[in-house]
């Protein structure tokens, strides 16, 4: 007689061998969004996960979905191999899907219904190529357990304003209006800062050289 399999014996895979995204453009949008939001929420009791299985029914490993980017508050920061709602006891507050004509049906029907039923506060669809969403970005916010279209492109849980910037989503702080820089912009800003510091050092060096020449010619400066 076969023994019943306990819930602790159930395997919840972390990968299915499928590609992360359809195209490089979609992959870049996923990775950039993931990194920007990770930096923004650094130091908070939150985590940002990308293209990892989210299991939503204990004991049923086939009941899973892999959001492109999901933000979960009130959990330990850091990565996970997968995310089990019943263990973490928190549902993602915000989910982003980088959509395309190939995933349109699933994104608009199955995932939208699932996230609505799970209680995900905001669900964003970003079509980086503009293949089926004319404005590229479409958001839904949960109101009375039903998704309603977001008209102002702002994320309430994140307190950020979202803007379409080419094939990426631009994120802006509501409190300061400051843009959250993507990795390339951060690198450029750092390089600019280093250049400015080097120029300042050069100016100081030139002034010290001029002062030394003055001392050699006229002696020390009067007190």
């Amino acid at each position: 007689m076969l023994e019943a399999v306990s819930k602790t014996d159930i395997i919840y895979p972390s990968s299915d061998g499928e590609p992360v995204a359809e195209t490089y453009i979609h992959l870049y949008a996923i990775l950039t969004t993931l990194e920007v939001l990770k930096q923004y929420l650094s130091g908070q009791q939150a985590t940002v996960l990308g293209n990892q299985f989210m299991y939503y029914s204990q004991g049923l490993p086939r009941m899973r979905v892999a959001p492109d980017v999901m933000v979960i508050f009130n959990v330990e920061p850091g990565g996970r191999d997968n995310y089990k709602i019943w263990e973490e006891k928190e549902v993602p507050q915000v989910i982003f899907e980088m959509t395309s004509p190939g995933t349109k049906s699933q994104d608009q029907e199955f995932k939208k219904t699932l996230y609505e039923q799970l209680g995900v506060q905001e669900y964003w669809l970003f079509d980086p190529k503009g293949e089926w969403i004319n404005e590229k970005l479409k958001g839904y916010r949960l109101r009375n357990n039903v998704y309603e279209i977001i008209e102002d492109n702002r994320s309430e849980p994140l307190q950020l304003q979202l803007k379409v910037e080419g094939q990426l989503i631009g994120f802006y702080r509501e409190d300061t209006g400051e843009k959250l820089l993507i990795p390339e912009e951060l690198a450029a800003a750092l390089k600019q800062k280093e250049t400015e510091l080097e120029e300042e050092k050069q100016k100081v060096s030139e002034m010290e050289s001029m002062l030394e020449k003055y001392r050699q010619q006229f002696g020390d400066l009067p007190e």
Side-chain angles (χ1 to χ4, degrees):
M1 182 176 177
L2 294 175
E3 293 183 2
V5 177
S6 70
K7 288 183 179 180
T8 57
D9 294 329
I10 296 172
I11 296 174
Y12 297 90
S14 297
S15 172
D16 59 4
E18 294 294 321
V20 174
E22 281 191 13
T23 68
Y24 172 81
I25 289 172
H26 289 82
L27 177 61
Y28 185 56
I30 291 171
L31 295 178
T32 301
T33 300
L34 176 69
E35 189 59 33
V36 166
L37 294 180
K38 278 175 61 181
Q39 292 298 325
Y40 173 60
L41 295 172
S42 177
Q44 297 189 39
Q45 201 68 10
T47 190
V48 186
L49 303 177
N51 196 58
Q52 289 166 288
F53 283 143
M54 176 175 70
Y55 291 95
Y56 50 89
S57 185
Q58 187 175 9
L60 299 171
R62 291 189 178 183
M63 305 292 280
R64 68 193 186 196
V65 66
D68 286 334
V69 179
M70 54 181 168
V71 181
I72 310 106
F73 290 99
N74 304 314
V75 296
E76 284 297 314
R80 283 106 164 122
D81 291 336
N82 53 50
Y83 188 84
K84 303 181 184 74
I85 290 177
W86 63 91
E87 287 186 356
E88 306 270 357
K89 296 181 174 54
E90 289 289 343
V91 171
Q93 277 72 34
V94 186
I95 285 179
F96 294 87
E97 296 287 359
M98 309 310 170
T99 188
S100 70
T103 63
K104 175 183 176 181
S105 177
Q106 186 182 41
D107 294 336
Q108 276 281 80
E109 296 170 16
F110 169 71
K111 288 185 176 181
K112 182 170 176 280
T113 300
L114 175 64
Y115 297 157
E116 188 177 66
Q117 292 174 346
L118 290 175
V120 177
Q121 290 300 305
E122 287 183 357
Y123 175 39
W124 294 89
L125 287 167
F126 181 57
D127 179 9
K129 291 186 174 183
E131 294 175 296
W132 72 271
I133 302 177
N134 291 333
E135 61 277 22
K136 292 189 178 182
L137 183 65
K138 179 188 291 187
Y140 298 93
R141 184 176 294 125
L142 209 58
R143 288 283 184 267
N144 298 318
N145 301 316
V146 176
Y147 274 143
E148 296 179 353
I149 288 285
I150 297 174
E151 302 289 353
D152 55 6
N153 274 4
R154 60 178 294 269
S155 172
E156 288 185 353
L158 295 173
Q159 298 183 352
L160 294 173
Q161 187 74 35
L162 279 58
K163 297 181 182 180
V164 174
E165 298 183 343
Q167 295 174 331
L168 296 174
I169 304 172
F171 295 91
Y172 294 79
R173 297 179 62 109
E174 287 191 337
D175 55 353
T176 65
E178 178 185 7
K179 181 182 179 182
L180 305 184
L181 300 182
I182 66 174
E184 287 84 350
E185 291 169 335
L186 282 170
L190 178 60
K191 187 174 181 180
Q192 177 64 27
K193 191 66 177 176
E194 289 175 344
T195 299
E196 291 173 358
L197 288 174
E198 189 59 37
E199 289 175 350
E200 285 298 318
K201 285 173 62 178
Q202 184 64 30
K203 288 179 182 178
V204 171
S205 178
E206 289 174 357
M207 291 188 68
E208 288 177 343
S209 178
M210 290 174 61
L211 182 57
E212 181 59 30
K213 289 180 180 178
Y214 180 93
R215 283 173 176 159
Q216 291 176 0
Q217 189 170 1
F218 303 104
D220 290 334
L221 291 172
E223 293 292 336

